[in-house]
Amino acid sequence: MKQNIAIVMGGYSSEKQISLKSGNVVYNHLNKLKYTIFRVLILQEKWVALDDSENEYPIDKNDFSFIINQKKIIFNCVFNAIHGAPGENGLLLAYFKLINLKHTSAPFYQMALTFNKRDTLSAVKAYGIKTAMSIYLNKGDEIQLDKIINKVGLPCFIKPNNAGSSYGISKAHKKEDILPAIEVAYKEDNEILIESFLNGTEVSVGVIQYKGETKVLPITEIVSENDFFDYEAKYEGKSKEITPARITKTQQKKVEKIAKKVYKVLNMTGFSRSEYIFVNDEPYFIEMNTVPGLTEESILPQQAKVAGISLSELFENSIEEALKN
């Protein structure tokens, strides 16, 4: 019997279009002789399964099933390709836990924790992981510019606490830049993080569960044409992503060890891609993405390719690991 697999895609955030691209790449690369695969759009206005002709079938939220040709389809596993809410922040995965449906991501609490940048930083700091200096604000909090500058210095980054794909992030070079940047970040989230600027080589490190082991993928160096690795750099070709990264053996060993430690202390499973910046050969943890981009051009698939893992193998392994648990 072939297993029924749902690829969930879309979502409720600014990252919807990127998620649709990722989900379709997964759909095109999974082995349809091994699995019966349906794409499932999770949108605020509807949850629907799609057939090959893009016909829509409403999802029954009681058990995440749907009916096609008078036959009820119940899924064995869900491949999570939703960046942002509700796939990356744990909400959808809590629902899957309630209905006892396996999925390719980490448990809902781990997903919620890592989606919250402040809480992730607090968790990893407790294990001696180096991070940038930061200040946290809720919408409506008093903004004391001098206090912010005294703590994090200039330039600094202002970013939404719960958002991905570099939406709403600004780099403030002078005091006058901070308030407009805060307004931009508040458009994405009611909680924001203001962090000190770390001047050094930025790398992205993929860590996944692969064939029962925690595997660190080849490291990618990020060289942005823009002032930092913003949305344009990430998705519109304004950056160079060099895999393997042009770093020393010492740097490589250090960041691999720390990336594996972060994955384990945060109790992760499934995909993860974390950003680090080297300052004097020491890697500083920036953030973790638990539903990284999965298109052919995305960083994690690039890293897998250098490791000799095809997209088909990468995606199939993710499903097989989920089915085992």
Side-chain angles (χ1 to χ4, degrees), residues 185-235:
Y186 276 143
K187 284 177 186 166
E188 288 291 329
D189 192 13
N190 289 331
E191 305 169 349
I192 66 169
L193 199 65
I194 304 175
E195 284 185 333
S196 59
F197 167 66
L198 299 175
N199 192 14
T201 302
E202 181 172 354
V203 295
S204 190
V205 188
V207 184
I208 61 173
Q209 285 296 117
Y210 190 71
K211 297 183 178 175
E213 302 287 327
T214 301
K215 182 177 180 66
V216 182
L217 294 170
I219 295 160
T220 300
E221 181 183 350
I222 308 295
V223 184
S224 177
E225 289 174 28
N226 293 354
D227 199 17
F228 63 98
F229 195 45
D230 59 5
Y231 180 89
E232 208 179 37
K234 196 171 278 188
Y235 294 108

Side-chain angles (χ1 to χ4, degrees), residues 282-314:
E282 291 298 321
Y284 281 67
F285 173 83
I286 307 299
E287 65 183 38
M288 177 181 277
N289 299 287
T290 53
V291 187
L294 297 171
T295 68
E296 285 92 339
E297 303 80 36
S298 298
I299 293 172
L300 192 115
Q302 283 181 38
Q303 295 174 341
K305 187 178 177 184
V306 173
I309 302 167
S310 70
L311 285 184
S312 298
E313 290 171 315
L314 184 70

Side-chain angles (χ1 to χ4, degrees), residues 53-94:
S53 304
E54 308 292 317
N55 295 312
E56 297 183 352
Y57 303 86
I59 291 286
D60 180 347
K61 293 181 185 174
N62 289 302
D63 58 2
F64 202 68
S65 67
F66 72 99
I67 293 169
I68 183 169
N69 301 328
Q70 298 180 317
K71 183 186 174 190
K72 181 171 178 170
I73 302 291
I74 293 174
F75 291 107
N76 301 100
C77 183
V78 174
F79 191 107
N80 181 18
I82 296 178
H83 313 303
E88 199 166 4
N89 64 355
L91 282 176
L92 190 62
L93 308 174

